[in-house]
Amino acid sequence: MELYERLAAELREQGFVVCTNSCGQKEEPPIPGTTPVFLPHEYMAPFCERAGYFIGIRSGLCDMIATARMKRKVILYPEERLGEGVATWLEFFSLKRMGLCEDAMEMDCGKMYSDRLKSEVLSFLLN
């Protein structure tokens, strides 16, 4: 959560309006300093296209926006290995490797929840 709070603060300083996909304060609180949004699934890709940017932990939401036309998409993956150590989350669930999305930045973030990860994401988004 700390990473997302710092990213959101930096993006707000750059003039972005930062939103969090959230179904409610108690069930799924938004990242502090962001605007909560809760959309039916069929509106998620058009919403993200209008917003122009997406940052998220790998989930089904990433599949929904994989083909959306945006300026930038950032997909973060846990660094842990799956099951019996067969592969990492990125190796197994990569949108690029599945042929679902060619334009996203995909990163293992397990050990990188730090200023370095924030810097890399911001550099990708702002350049």
Side-chain angles (χ1 to χ4, degrees):
M1 184 60 85
E2 181 182 327
L3 168 69
Y4 285 113
E5 287 181 45
R6 290 186 291 157
L7 268 174
E10 182 76 27
L11 290 168
R12 283 193 316 274
E13 287 177 21
Q14 297 289 329
F16 287 81
V17 174
V18 184
C19 301
T20 300
N21 182 38
S22 171
C23 63
Q25 290 288 343
K26 290 183 182 180
E27 301 85 4
E28 192 177 47
I31 296 164
T34 68
T35 302
V37 295
F38 184 65
L39 304 169
H41 292 135
E42 63 268 20
Y43 297 120
M44 191 55 70
F47 177 85
C48 288
E49 285 180 344
R50 291 204 57 190
Y53 298 86
F54 174 87
I55 303 171
I57 293 286
R58 179 65 170 95
S59 68
L61 182 58
C62 299
D63 293 309
M64 285 186 260
I65 60 94
T67 59
R69 295 182 184 149
M70 291 182 260
K71 292 181 182 178
R72 300 278 193 259
K73 298 173 200 160
V74 177
I75 315 292
L76 303 174
Y77 293 78
E79 193 175 43
E80 300 91 33
R81 298 191 82 70
L82 295 167
E84 299 296 316
V86 181
T88 66
W89 281 77
L90 178 58
E91 291 166 342
F92 196 79
F93 291 110
S94 168
L95 293 175
K96 287 181 185 179
R97 289 181 185 210
M98 287 191 275
L100 298 175
C101 182
E102 293 300 320
D103 61 347
M105 172 190 210
E106 296 183 298
M107 299 177 66
D108 275 326
C109 63
K111 292 180 182 174
M112 287 183 53
Y113 275 96
S114 66
D115 287 332
R116 182 174 148 224
L117 177 62
K118 183 185 87 162
S119 295
E120 287 187 35
V121 170
L122 288 171
S123 177
F124 177 75
L125 292 174
L126 300 174
N127 296 315

